[in-house]
Amino acid sequence: MADPLRILFATPEIAPWVKTGGLGDVAGALPPALIAAGAQVHVLVPYYPALRTAFPDARLLAAIDAPGGLLPACRLLEAQSGELTLWLLDMPAMFHRGGSPYLAPDGGDWSDNALRFGLLSRIAALLASDASPLDWRPDVLHLQDWQTALAPAYLHFTPGPKAASVITVHNMAFQGLFPAAVLADLALPPECFQPEGLEFWGQVSFLKAGLHYADTITTVSPTYAREIQTPALGFGMDGLLRRRASQISGILNGIDYAAWNPANDPLIACPFDADHLDAKAANTAAVRARLGLADEPHVPLLGVVSRLTHQKGLDWLAETAGRILDLPAQIAVLGSGDAALEKALEDTAATHPGRMAVTIGFDEAMAHQIEAGADAFLMPSRFEPCGLNQMYSLRYGTPPVVRATGGLADTVVDPGNGARSKASANGFVFEDESAEAFFEATARAVATWHNRNRWRRLQRNGMARDFSWRHAAQEYLTLYRRLKAARVP
Ligand code: ADP
Ligand code: GLC
């Protein structure tokens, strides 16, 4: 048998231990799918408190000297979770902190994020080069988002044999921007501080370093791969991305079929599948009871689970909630984020007791319960690199209402788009960036819900589609093989 591909997968978060959004889910599910497809994968992630608790006996692999600048010495530990080997970056002063991986208790970024994720990037690059203290060398270094994106810059300035690098962009809106002075702290040579490098309007951009220096770039859906090459969604880097267009591809994320399976989800009230959709009603009743919503089975329940940020378009929900409730419908929101948006949604809920419930916070169990219990799911994102929640919704027989952008456009089919889409329709899609367009699509969903046969067809179409990680894993393997082959003299 041919040598297996050896992949070092570097990530700032990994489900189920450390997760702030979809990136955590991807890091928790893609590596196991790659291993199942025959690759050797090691996952590099900081040794956060949750990982310490989960793996208190992680074994010491290497003590690593201070890499220069203000970057400190650190240790690399190894732990095993099933088939998955975790390489834990142990630097307690940086990573042994409570709360979010990125935010201090006051809600602002940790003041030393440049050094923290500079160190993560630096160690990823070290392990991918001939200077690695370990015997195991990857063929490909696979990086996720800005927090690991400095690694290709470090690799670029590392002499000798090294792994090929690929950066996956999960969200162009997060760029890791820092003052120019951090360059010396990060022990990077001054010559990389230029437009043909990691300089971005006078600042250091971690993301730009990845986009400029990585051998290849992927993003998490085919549509988003095109969108980031336009001024509207390139966040100032579309020019660079257009220049690198031949190196950009979009690979649609999968979802974790073990964690998100309505037929056997321990977090929901009543398991169900496409042949037993009547059982979904028990989940709806359970959500209503938990959230204090009126027991009105003749009214559809619309669910939201989301970060509450500009990206997600939920200000349109705040704006039109009164009219949506009058359709009539009920609304259940779980999320956290912008204080103003949280307040706007909470205020609307307060004036509609029993009809709209807003829960501010992060609650994995409630997320599953809303996916299972809601009749339809609302995800009106202004942009959405991939989006996992609409895929969870499709799998849970909860047709999503989405805007036609990024991964939403690649996964949700509206019944109104011609004869072919009639047969494969699984949700509702609107185009315009406006509260009115969102309201119109939501009203269409509510009207359709009253037609039981049509609704069942939408539900079954969504549930029949395969969103497992198998396809994505094969696409990544093809990409890794191509990168590896290009390295061999
Ligand atoms: P993004 O990564 O942009 O936030 P995704 O749809 O890719 O969007 O992934 C979001 C992930 O985070 C999903 O797994 C979703 O269930 C979860 N999530 C978001 N907000 C919450 C919340 N308040 N409570 C529980 N899970 C949440
Ligand atoms: C980002 C994006 C989201 C995507 C997730 C995982 O957080 O906002 O659309 O699904 O990453 O790739």
Side-chain angles (χ1 to χ4, degrees):
M1 213 176 86
D3 254 4
L5 278 163
R6 284 166 307 192
I7 311 301
L8 179 59
F9 188 96
T11 178
E13 50 184 271
I14 181 166
W17 304 286
V18 185
K19 160 177 161 180
T20 70
L23 168 55
D25 287 327
V26 172
L30 173 56
L34 294 168
I35 292 168
Q40 254 183 35
V41 185
H42 291 174
V43 175
L44 176 69
V45 60
Y47 199 27
Y48 300 111
L51 286 161
R52 268 172 206 272
T53 306
F55 305 104
D57 302 325
R59 156 180 102 82
L60 178 67
L61 268 189
I64 299 174
D65 292 340
L70 296 183
L71 296 173
C74 58
R75 302 189 315 158
L76 195 65
L77 311 181
E78 182 177 81
Q80 199 68 30
S81 169
E83 298 285 293
L84 190 65
T85 307
L86 296 173
W87 282 357
L88 303 161
L89 176 59
D90 184 25
M91 207 294 138
M94 287 184 162
F95 297 115
H96 193 59
R97 299 176 182 176
S100 149
Y102 316 123
L103 305 179
D106 69 1
D109 292 343
W110 291 111
S111 60
D112 55 351
N113 271 352
L115 283 177
R116 297 169 75 229
F117 296 106
L119 184 69
L120 178 61
S121 299
R122 181 70 193 87
I123 299 307
L126 176 74
L127 299 176
S129 79
D130 237 24
S132 170
L134 308 178
D135 291 335
W136 188 89
R137 300 290 157 79
D139 300 308
V140 177
L141 173 60
H142 188 169
L143 306 155
Q144 319 300 317
D145 268 357
W146 74 265
Q147 298 92 328
T148 55
L150 226 40
Y154 285 117
L155 271 186
H156 179 80
F157 295 104
T158 303
K162 52 196 146 184
S165 57
V166 48
I167 177 147
T168 295
V169 180
H170 296 264
N171 197 327
M172 286 296 298
F174 303 122
Q175 305 194 336
L177 287 175
F178 301 98
V182 300
L183 215 56
D185 304 347
L186 293 169
L188 275 163
E191 63 256 41
C192 60
F193 194 67
Q194 50 156 316
E196 290 290 300
L198 50 68
E199 189 246 3
F200 187 67
W201 301 104
Q203 290 193 288
V204 167
S205 164
F206 276 42
L207 180 63
K208 188 174 173 191
L211 299 180
H212 178 77
Y213 291 108
D215 291 307
T216 192
I217 300 166
T218 70
T219 184
V220 287
S221 70
T223 295
Y224 195 59
R226 292 189 295 275
E227 289 172 338
I228 59 176
Q229 298 177 49
T230 67
L233 288 180
F235 287 87
M237 298 192 189
D238 47 293
L240 163 60
L241 290 167
R242 280 194 299 278
R243 280 197 298 285
R244 300 214 61 194
S246 64
Q247 286 300 333
I248 300 179
S249 56
I251 300 179
L252 188 74
N253 285 332
I255 57 173
D256 187 336
Y257 264 30
W260 293 92
N261 179 0
N264 114 41
D265 183 337
L267 299 173
I268 67 175
C270 180
F272 61 97
D273 60 28
D275 297 326
H276 302 90
L277 276 167
D278 286 340
K280 200 170 147 67
N283 295 293
T284 314
V287 171
R288 286 191 160 115
R290 177 168 180 187
L291 298 178
L293 292 169
D295 184 24
E296 297 178 322
H298 55 286
V299 169
L301 174 63
L302 311 178
V304 173
V305 179
S306 186
R307 289 185 294 115
L308 300 178
T309 63
H310 184 75
Q311 172 189 344
K312 302 294 179 176
L314 290 164
D315 45 316
W316 296 328
L317 173 63
E319 213 177 310
T320 57
R323 288 162 67 200
I324 293 174
L325 294 170
D326 284 344
L327 283 168
Q330 292 185 353
I331 302 174
V333 178
L334 166 65
S336 65
D338 294 350
L341 184 52
E342 290 180 357
K343 183 166 183 320
L345 290 166
E346 282 182 313
D347 287 351
T348 314
T351 54
H352 297 88
R355 311 297 317 284
M356 175 165 176
V358 173
T359 309
I360 301 300
F362 199 94
D363 185 331
E364 189 75 31
M366 196 188 289
H368 284 246
Q369 290 152 14
I370 290 179
E371 290 290 5
D375 291 298
F377 191 84
L378 306 179
M379 197 160 171
S381 307
R382 287 190 168 80
F383 65 93
E384 196 61 73
C386 177
L388 301 176
N389 272 305
Q390 84 281 14
M391 294 194 269
Y392 301 151
S393 304
L394 290 166
R395 187 139 203 253
Y396 278 64
T398 310
V401 178
V402 306
R403 203 173 84 73
T405 183
L408 300 176
D410 291 339
T411 51
V412 183
V413 182
D414 190 286
N417 280 346
R420 235 186 85 237
S421 76
K422 262 218 163 52
S424 57
N426 57 19
F428 299 86
V429 184
F430 64 98
E431 298 274 342
D432 286 359
E433 282 193 49
S434 75
E436 207 44 49
F438 163 64
F439 173 77
E440 186 272 335
T442 304
R444 244 171 356 105
V446 168
T448 308
W449 180 81
H450 288 284
N451 181 329
R452 191 187 151 89
N453 287 341
R454 281 184 65 198
W455 196 258
R456 283 282 186 263
R457 224 175 302 133
L458 287 181
Q459 290 178 297
R460 293 210 170 95
N461 281 346
M463 296 179 93
R465 218 164 125 173
D466 183 357
F467 290 114
S468 72
W469 273 103
R470 253 175 339 118
H471 307 285
Q474 286 306 331
E475 287 188 64
Y476 280 111
L477 289 184
T478 304
L479 177 76
Y480 298 153
R481 271 190 218 104
R482 180 163 66 69
L483 282 167
K484 181 180 177 183
R487 291 269 128 174
V488 176

